[in-house]
Amino acid sequence: MRCAIAAPRLRRRQRWLQRLHESETGIGVKFPTLPALPSSPEADAALHRLQDTTLGSLTMYVVPETSSLLPQGVSVYVGKHRSALVRAGGSLAALQARLREVAQAMSFTASSIAAALSDRVPDGQLSPDARRTLKSSLGYEITFSLLNPDPKSHTVDWDIEGAVNRYVKPVLDKLSLVANFSVDSQILYYAVLGVTPRYDKESSSFLLSAHSLPHVINPVEARLGSSAASLYPVLNFLLYVPERSHSPLYIQDKDGAPVSTNAFHSPRWGGIMVYNVEAPASPQASLPLHVDVDMARVMEVFLAQLRLLFGLSQDEVPPEFLLEGPGNEGLADWELDHLLWAHTVENIATVSTTLTSLAQLLDKIGNIVIKDDVASEVYKAVASVQSAVTKLSLGHLHAAFQASKEAVTSSERAFFDPSLLHLLYFPDDQKFAIYIPLFLPMAVPILLSLAKIVRETRLRKKEPTKMD
């Protein structure tokens, strides 16, 4: 059945490529009315219907050196799906090296593995950006917050529900293979950044320098209250409308230049964007001013920060490479595969660490009885890890990721089982430290009485027996 389906698809792909080649070179006369595709994005979309769409797959099409599909000076085009167009040129060895370079740019490499295992790699062996991405989790909570520190001067209106449905939902629908997501929003009044900006006379504006940005998050986070009762990591995206006395407010980078987006992000936490309000034309304008937030501009920044949090920033590629933007979906298909690879490897490492820690702790506790359900969860976790490794080596990316998630769930159930908690957190040495202060005051008079009885007994034995 599998071969019967694949053969017609292969023949259709060959016929399409034959038409494309004949239309470009002018050699073929079989399809004289077929026009040449004007751009590589259209070729990528057309080839997507013919190629293998399995998670983790990669298809590379070699086009003639004189092809007009690729722009001038571009030798490789990487589209939004799991394919790339490569211009044929030079020797066969050069083409093989280029294909290998494309595969390395679109697949999971050794540096990606090191980034996924960043918490287990020494500091000196990783780049500073390797620890910026979020850790793998079964779910994430996204919170959009509007901070209005001066409601007497500004009445801010933002269509967060419409913006989430239009911009965020397509991205989360694609990321649903990775984890579960929940989205909420809130408006906080009289919430200030906690850092006094510096006034610049030349630009008549207020500035936040790069070294003061770390001090902005803690005062704001205390007002959010979103992570107190959360079971999963919380991603915070804050839109800050400066108060009238500190407007306009701009963010500077380390070199003192203004940041184009007027926003910054914090690794594994979220991002903050400063949204300046235009001053009224007349100084006698009535307050509060009504502000309609441009949600398209705001969501463009927040989605870029979301990509950085998940480690989807574009790596450095050669100048002859052209990478197509992900569009409204927020990430390309091959980037989703990259993310699944990273989370699968991280889940396997997490399970290994959890089970090793559990074994070491239980080994220190003598006379322990492990219940059957705890042992069953441990066996399930080990079997799921072995299945994930096997399927990952075979290229079955989705099945490997699902097995790694099951392994994480089983290992956590075993580690946090209620029957083991009192043993894990109260070993024998701690029990003695807890109970000795309670029983020592009662034991002192008892021990003194026993000592007195022993002394009296010895004295009686030493006394001579009286003879009548």
Side-chain angles (χ1 to χ4, degrees):
M1 178 66 68
R2 189 171 182 179
C3 294
I5 295 175
R9 181 180 298 174
L10 179 59
R11 288 194 295 268
R12 290 197 303 270
R13 185 187 304 176
Q14 291 173 346
R15 290 197 298 268
W16 193 92
L17 290 174
Q18 180 184 5
R19 295 182 183 182
L20 176 61
H21 178 71
E22 292 171 350
S23 62
E24 289 184 346
T25 58
I27 298 175
V29 293
K30 191 174 181 180
F31 305 99
T33 59
L34 184 66
L37 293 179
S39 63
S40 45
E42 292 186 15
D44 180 63
L47 290 170
H48 175 60
R49 297 191 295 266
L50 305 175
Q51 69 189 21
D52 186 9
T53 58
T54 307
L55 291 174
S57 63
L58 177 60
T59 306
M60 288 181 282
Y61 300 95
V62 179
V63 299
E65 186 176 1
T66 58
S67 175
S68 60
L69 284 177
L70 300 179
Q72 190 70 23
V74 174
S75 59
V76 175
Y77 170 81
V78 179
K80 295 190 298 183
H81 307 292
R82 298 177 177 91
S83 63
L85 300 177
V86 182
R87 189 190 300 275
S91 61
L92 182 59
L95 179 60
Q96 291 177 346
R98 184 174 298 172
L99 293 177
R100 192 180 301 110
E101 193 175 12
V102 175
Q104 185 177 4
M106 299 180 65
S107 61
F108 200 63
T109 59
S111 60
S112 302
I113 296 177
L117 304 178
S118 58
D119 289 350
R120 300 166 179 85
V121 178
D123 294 337
Q125 300 181 10
L126 288 176
S127 62
D129 296 335
R131 304 182 190 274
R132 294 179 178 269
T133 58
L134 290 166
K135 305 306 296 177
S136 176
S137 176
L138 300 179
Y140 300 93
E141 296 185 9
I142 300 178
T143 301
F144 293 98
S145 303
L146 173 63
L147 274 60
N148 186 1
D150 192 8
K152 296 180 179 180
S153 302
H154 302 136
T155 300
V156 184
D157 184 16
W158 70 333
D159 184 15
I160 186 61
E161 183 177 0
V164 168
N165 292 331
R166 183 175 180 182
Y167 302 102
V168 181
K169 190 175 182 301
V171 180
L172 299 186
D173 288 343
K174 206 162 188 178
L175 287 175
S176 61
L177 291 175
V178 179
N180 298 321
F181 290 87
S182 62
V183 182
D184 56 12
S185 63
Q186 59 181 344
I187 300 178
L188 300 178
Y189 296 100
Y190 300 102
V192 296
L193 295 180
V195 175
T196 303
R198 176 177 59 87
Y199 181 72
D200 183 41
K201 295 182 179 180
E202 296 181 359
S203 59
S204 299
S205 61
F206 293 85
L207 303 177
L208 277 177
S209 59
H211 70 272
S212 64
L213 297 181
H215 305 287
V216 171
I217 296 179
N218 288 339
V220 174
E221 190 176 20
R223 293 288 306 273
L224 297 179
S226 55
S227 59
S230 175
L231 298 177
Y232 300 121
V234 180
L235 311 182
N236 298 281
F237 295 99
L238 278 61
L239 182 65
Y240 180 75
V241 180
E243 49 192 323
R244 193 179 182 188
S245 59
H246 291 161
S247 294
L249 178 63
Y250 297 102
I251 299 176
Q252 289 181 324
D253 59 13
K254 295 180 179 180
D255 298 330
V259 178
S260 59
T261 59
N262 211 25
F264 70 97
H265 85 284
S266 177
R268 302 184 182 182
W269 184 83
I272 299 178
M273 179 181 180
V274 177
Y275 192 88
N276 288 310
V277 179
E278 295 184 2
S282 174
Q284 299 178 352
S286 60
L287 298 178
L289 299 175
H290 183 74
V291 180
D292 286 321
V293 177
D294 185 2
M295 297 306 297
R297 180 163 66 93
V298 172
M299 284 300 167
E300 181 181 1
V301 175
F302 285 162
L303 290 180
Q305 293 175 344
L306 182 65
R307 286 177 55 87
L308 291 176
L309 292 174
F310 278 100
L312 295 175
S313 58
Q314 297 291 350
D315 297 330
E316 293 293 333
V317 295
E320 65 271 13
F321 277 49
L322 177 61
L323 273 61
E324 181 69 22
N328 294 333
E329 295 180 348
L331 70 160
D333 292 343
W334 60 273
E335 290 180 324
L336 177 62
D337 296 346
H338 189 282
L339 194 59
L340 286 175
W341 270 94
H343 282 220
T344 302
V345 172
E346 186 178 348
N347 288 341
I348 293 174
T350 300
V351 174
S352 176
T353 303
T354 302
L355 295 182
T356 302
S357 301
L358 179 61
Q360 292 175 350
L361 288 173
L362 297 182
D363 188 58
K364 297 179 181 179
I365 302 175
N367 301 324
I368 184 174
V369 178
I370 301 177
K371 297 172 61 177
D372 292 339
D373 53 351
V374 176
S376 176
E377 294 295 341
V378 173
Y379 289 136
K380 288 180 181 178
V382 173
S384 297
V385 165
Q386 293 175 346
S387 176
V389 172
T390 302
K391 292 176 180 177
L392 198 62
S393 62
L394 296 176
H396 302 159
L397 183 56
H398 186 260
F401 176 69
Q402 293 297 331
S404 68
K405 288 175 60 177
E406 295 173 0
V408 170
T409 303
S410 298
S411 63
E412 290 183 349
R413 287 176 180 173
F415 191 87
F416 295 104
D417 188 87
S419 63
L420 300 179
L421 289 180
H422 66 286
L423 297 175
L424 295 177
Y425 293 102
F426 294 100
D428 293 338
D429 54 349
Q430 292 190 12
K431 292 178 183 178
F432 286 118
I434 292 175
Y435 291 115
I436 284 178
L438 299 178
F439 291 102
L440 188 61
M442 300 172 57
V444 169
I446 295 176
L447 293 176
L448 294 177
S449 300
L450 291 176
K452 183 178 180 182
I453 292 173
V454 171
R455 288 196 303 269
E456 291 178 352
T457 304
R458 290 178 178 177
L459 289 175
R460 288 194 189 101
K461 291 182 178 180
K462 291 181 179 180
E463 289 180 357
T465 303
K466 296 181 178 181
M467 301 297 294
D468 292 337

